[in-house]
Amino acid sequence: MIYNNFTVETDADGIALVTWDMPEKSMNVFTEEVMIELNNIVDQVVVDASIKGVVITSGKDTFSGGADITMLQKMLNTFAREKTKDEQKAAQKLFEAAGYMSGLFRKIETCGKPWVSAINGTCMGGAFEMSLACHGRVAADSDKVKMALPEVKIGIFPGAGGTQRVPRLTDQQQALQMMTTGQTLTPQKAKAMGLVTEIAEPKKLVETAKAMIKNGLSPVAPWDQKGFKLPGGPIYSAAGANLWPPVIAILRRETYGNYPAAAAILKCVYEGLLVPFDTALRIEQRYFTEIMQTKEAAAMIRSLFISLQELNKGARRPEGVPATKFKKIGVLGAGFMGAGIAYVTAKAGIPVVLLDRDMASAEKGKAHSEGLIADQVKKGRAKPEDKDRLLSLITPTADYADLTGCDLVIEAVFEDSEIKKKATEQAEAVLKSSAVFASNTSTIPITGLAKNSARPKNFIGIHFFSPVDKMMLVEIILGKKTGDKALAMAIDYVRAIKKTPIVVNDTRGFYVNRCVLRYMSESYKMLIEGVPATMIENAAKAAGMPVGPLALTDETAIDLAQKIMKQTIRDLGEKAVDPKQMALINTLVDTHGRNGRKNAKGFYDYPPKPAKKKLWPGLKDLYPQKKAEDIDYEELQQRLLVVIALEAARVMEEGIVTDPREADVGSILAFGFAPYTGGALSYIDGIGVKEFVRIAKGLQKKYGAEFKAPKLLLDMAEKGETFYKRFNPYAKADVRKAA
């Protein structure tokens, strides 16, 4: 039989080698066609008496990324359409569709012939679930091999048998840890957990897998054999009694009940381990169907998988501009930001010139990279030769002539217009006319800085977030005269360093900082009202924010907040900043010398490690404290999310951000806006614009103008629109298809 996505070759020993190699795809994924073909292969294996067993592997560098998530989106769209006609019938169809992959893997498991999965690279989600359904698993001993069930990160869970096979192969605690966090496993970790049978040299991977079958591998899964016992003991046992109560409490502490999929994993495992395996699979299927109908799943799938992938692939890149293959990049300023930019550039394999006012400063910037890569080597995440290669790509210098030949120069000097002007002029004097100049400014408008350039069409903003090596988002800011070539090159660069680009039009604070400053400002207002700092921070975390607003201010520095406030007053007048908030920040910085984490005292105290940071007790003495019982805790949570979402809506209204995907993904990647909502705009869409406006008006009445809904939201509420309807990011593509 001939297949489009697989080849089947049977050797003299009767072992069929099934090689998965999807044409015109960089990675194998489960599509409807793939599953139909795999189903036919199972049938072929069963009826062919000459086939004694099967080894399934990949013809690509990776094994598989798992299920094609657009398939899940298609299921959700079908459900949404049919729900309007007959909700019960629509749910039944969703249930059946949700069980297809699980049924296919169970068919492999019970076909009567042994299957071995030969895992040669990344093996994620549904692909790992398929491997777990095989009777043996061999992983290549390679850094390229990573295994995980990461579905919880996009609002769903391993619904093709994962929640049942993992806790039957390893103990329940490790199983729950792995699935509720989406933990990535190395071959060694997977083998220690019992999820992988053997580890083999990459060149002997298939040979080792075949040997397992020749040596009499049982075609019956352990749980289908008489007398099977769970590795960690049964649910109703002393071990179970010690595990489950704290596990439930820990999940609640970590998620605040915001992630239904994580809770569903616990339910699937707990209930599934009490019943026979096939019944357990039906329980899993039932919960998966339930989770697929949640707004959290829909929002997270859209933002954290589909939109994220689209942006990473260059969705906002101008058409018709040739891709840039970077030969050399310059970075001006070897301070913390500039050094970080040089590091991620060299890590991507691109030669980088790191320039500062003198050689000692430039060398110090390179030393930052040496420290980062040395730490990676120490942790086993990089090899010594990786360190040598990376450092060889960074050339420290104090001479602008060394920028000759750079395709792109990124300026990351001190936030001073005059210093930036000199850096721009000196760099452009040696750059080729086609080179692009980018500023990493976080506060100064790009259009103004572009006036320093002799070629404003090639001038653009590339705004990194700190620390550069860890933060995955980059804002690309367009000046009024920025051309398509500069935008395309900026996006190509951000993609090359494996970060996510969002495109933002020029304004004070751009997009991310405008939203973050609202978040921080609202927390200052709460403090002034007498809300205990602990309640503010806990309310933020309960709302889904990874870091409380006071802790975030400490990280970015309180004295920086003071500088921003003073600059805002100089530029926009006294009314632009709340005087009470200005007084609070002045008190912390000028009176108490509390600048934030950088001097070990801010809203928090930072004792020497291993002691943990604690809120500064003196905060409660700054303002009369309200009693906890007099504070609406849920309203605190609401205020912190709504104030950010309103600013995101204003940014859309002003045309600063034009694509809702960028607003949503940017809000999550930059400052962790409650990921379960799908992002700041999806949060509004999820509540419903009309209801959101009602909430905002109520908060405005109680707390002030920052909660005033912009005209855009009022208009959308009246028309019953959503952001993804009003600002449809696929409209142009739809028009092209229609044409």
Side-chain angles (χ1 to χ4, degrees), residues 500-517:
T500 300
I502 64 169
V503 181
V504 180
N505 287 315
D506 203 11
T507 187
R508 176 183 292 274
F510 312 131
Y511 168 55
V512 169
N513 283 350
R514 278 181 59 167
C515 291
V516 168
L517 290 173

Side-chain angles (χ1 to χ4, degrees), residues 442-443 463 465 475 504-522 564 643-657 670-671 710:
S442 58
T443 56
H463 180 211
F465 298 91
E475 278 183 312
V504 180
N505 287 315
D506 203 11
T507 187
R508 176 183 292 274
F510 312 131
Y511 168 55
V512 169
N513 283 350
R514 278 181 59 167
C515 291
V516 168
L517 290 173
R518 288 286 183 184
Y519 178 53
M520 294 175 176
S521 174
E522 197 60 25
I564 292 171
V643 78
I644 296 171
L646 282 167
E647 192 63 22
R650 292 184 194 107
V651 166
M652 292 294 289
E653 181 180 59
E654 295 166 24
I656 304 305
V657 174
F671 55 93

Side-chain angles (χ1 to χ4, degrees), residues 51-337:
I51 296 178
K52 308 301 179 187
V54 178
V55 171
I56 184 165
T57 193
S58 168
K60 301 185 187 295
D61 290 338
T62 57
F63 187 84
S64 167
D68 183 353
I69 301 296
T70 54
M71 211 170 43
L72 292 178
Q73 198 175 42
K74 185 179 175 183
M75 286 166 57
L76 289 173
N77 291 340
T78 302
F79 172 74
R81 276 196 315 270
E82 299 196 359
K83 184 181 177 183
T84 57
K85 303 172 191 173
D86 187 332
E87 188 169 352
Q88 192 172 349
K89 192 175 179 182
Q92 181 61 36
K93 281 190 176 180
L94 184 62
F95 178 77
E96 290 165 4
Y100 184 82
M101 185 180 279
S102 183
L104 172 58
F105 297 165
R106 184 61 171 154
K107 185 175 180 177
I108 290 172
E109 194 169 57
T110 58
C111 74
K113 294 183 180 179
W115 281 60
V116 178
S117 177
I119 303 168
N120 63 312
T122 299
C123 182
M124 296 286 166
F128 194 41
E129 289 181 284
M130 180 193 71
S131 299
L132 294 171
C134 292
H135 306 93
R137 290 156 295 284
V138 183
D141 189 5
S142 166
D143 293 340
K144 293 181 180 178
V145 178
K146 304 288 181 188
M147 293 157 278
L149 296 174
E151 290 88 343
V152 74
K153 294 179 179 179
I154 57 165
I156 53 176
F157 67 85
T163 67
Q164 301 310 312
R165 291 188 178 92
V166 173
R168 285 172 169 82
L169 287 167
T170 193
D171 65 85
Q172 292 157 41
Q173 183 172 343
Q174 289 193 92
L176 293 170
Q177 168 78 15
M178 173 194 171
M179 291 187 287
T180 57
T181 62
Q183 178 187 9
T184 298
L185 307 176
T186 61
Q188 290 73 22
K189 176 65 175 174
K191 189 172 189 299
M193 288 174 66
L195 302 181
V196 160
T197 321
E198 291 189 33
I199 298 173
E201 290 180 34
K203 290 181 180 178
K204 294 183 178 179
L205 179 67
V206 171
E207 179 188 326
T208 305
K210 286 185 174 183
M212 289 178 68
I213 295 172
K214 289 180 195 174
N215 293 336
L217 179 67
S218 172
V220 182
W223 38 90
D224 290 327
Q225 296 175 18
K226 192 174 180 180
F228 170 70
K229 291 183 179 179
L230 292 169
I235 294 285
Y236 294 134
S237 66
N242 286 329
L243 171 69
W244 284 94
V247 158
I248 294 165
I250 290 168
L251 184 72
R252 181 72 190 176
R253 183 191 70 197
E254 296 298 319
T255 69
Y256 293 90
N258 290 324
Y259 295 87
I265 290 170
L266 266 61
K267 295 172 185 176
C268 285
V269 174
Y270 188 91
E271 295 175 27
L273 295 184
L274 293 172
V275 296
F277 191 76
D278 286 305
T279 306
L281 290 179
R282 296 288 280 182
I283 288 171
E284 180 189 75
Q285 187 178 350
R286 181 189 73 198
Y287 279 117
F288 192 79
T289 306
E290 182 182 297
I291 291 302
M292 284 288 286
Q293 296 175 61
T294 63
K295 67 179 182 182
E296 290 86 357
M300 290 178 76
I301 288 170
R302 179 173 66 192
S303 293
L304 292 172
F305 188 86
I306 296 168
S307 294
L308 183 61
Q309 276 200 344
E310 289 167 349
L311 294 176
N312 284 340
K313 288 177 181 176
R316 292 297 311 282
R317 193 182 188 279
E319 294 179 2
V321 182
T324 305
K325 290 186 178 178
F326 296 98
K327 295 175 184 175
K328 183 179 176 184
I329 284 174
V331 177
L332 310 184
F336 187 64
M337 288 296 288

Side-chain angles (χ1 to χ4, degrees), residues 341-637:
I341 296 167
Y343 171 77
V344 297
T345 304
K347 195 176 180 185
I350 304 169
V352 56
V353 174
L354 182 59
L355 184 145
D356 213 307
R357 62 183 179 274
D358 53 53
M359 202 60 192
S361 300
E363 290 281 8
K364 185 179 178 182
K366 181 174 180 176
H368 176 73
S369 288
E370 186 171 8
L372 288 173
I373 190 66
D375 187 54
Q376 293 293 300
V377 172
K378 186 179 178 182
K379 292 176 179 176
R381 295 173 187 166
K383 296 176 180 176
E385 54 266 34
D386 296 330
K387 177 184 175 183
D388 296 337
R389 184 165 53 249
L390 183 143
L391 293 175
S392 72
L393 291 170
I394 302 174
T395 303
T397 185
D399 187 353
Y400 275 86
D402 289 335
L403 297 175
T404 304
C406 284
D407 307 293
L408 170 71
V409 168
I410 302 166
E411 169 268 302
V413 301
F414 189 70
E415 285 289 279
D416 181 291
S417 297
E418 279 304 309
I419 295 174
K420 289 181 182 291
K421 182 176 187 293
K422 288 178 185 176
T424 304
E425 291 170 347
Q426 287 179 272
E428 285 191 351
V430 299
L431 292 176
K432 55 190 176 184
S433 59
S434 60
V436 169
F437 190 95
S439 176
N440 178 57
T441 181
S442 58
T443 56
I444 306 171
I446 292 299
T447 301
L449 289 175
K451 291 176 182 176
N452 302 322
S453 172
R455 40 201 182 201
K457 280 189 177 181
N458 283 7
F459 196 101
I460 197 165
I462 299 182
H463 180 211
F464 288 86
F465 298 91
S466 183
V468 177
D469 58 299
K470 292 180 181 175
M471 298 297 285
M472 297 311 297
L473 186 80
V474 176
E475 278 183 312
I476 295 174
I477 300 102
L478 301 176
K480 284 185 180 177
K481 294 185 179 180
T482 302
D484 280 356
K485 180 194 167 183
L487 173 57
M489 188 183 286
I491 290 176
D492 290 344
Y493 168 68
V494 174
R495 292 182 65 208
I497 60 173
K498 293 182 170 56
K499 294 190 185 292
T500 300
I502 64 169
V503 181
V504 180
N505 287 315
D506 203 11
T507 187
R508 176 183 292 274
F510 312 131
Y511 168 55
V512 169
N513 283 350
R514 278 181 59 167
C515 291
V516 168
L517 290 173
R518 288 286 183 184
Y519 178 53
M520 294 175 176
S521 174
E522 197 60 25
S523 70
Y524 308 157
K525 192 170 182 180
M526 290 174 178
L527 269 180
I528 294 163
E529 290 168 13
V531 179
T534 306
M535 287 190 76
I536 297 170
E537 296 292 86
N538 287 342
K541 291 174 186 173
M545 301 297 287
V547 179
L550 303 179
L552 186 59
T553 306
D554 274 1
E555 293 294 332
T556 57
I558 302 175
D559 59 334
L560 176 61
Q562 184 187 50
K563 287 173 186 173
I564 292 171
M565 286 179 168
K566 287 180 177 179
Q567 186 64 48
T568 303
I569 290 170
R570 282 195 293 271
D571 294 345
L572 303 177
E574 293 284 344
K575 292 182 180 179
V577 172
D578 182 340
K580 291 181 180 178
Q581 294 185 33
M582 184 81 249
L584 166 63
I585 298 301
N586 285 341
T587 298
L588 287 165
V589 175
D590 300 335
T591 307
H592 297 285
R594 306 190 72 85
N595 295 340
R597 180 185 274 277
K598 66 182 183 181
N599 77 331
K601 53 183 184 177
F603 286 105
Y604 285 78
D605 282 323
Y606 298 87
K609 290 183 178 182
K612 293 182 178 180
K613 67 181 182 183
K614 289 184 179 179
L615 280 160
W616 178 43
L619 286 174
K620 66 179 181 295
D621 300 322
L622 298 179
Y623 304 97
Q625 298 286 284
K626 287 183 179 179
K627 292 180 181 178
E629 57 267 28
D630 295 335
I631 299 169
D632 187 334
Y633 188 61
E634 289 185 5
E635 189 178 72
L636 292 181
Q637 297 174 48

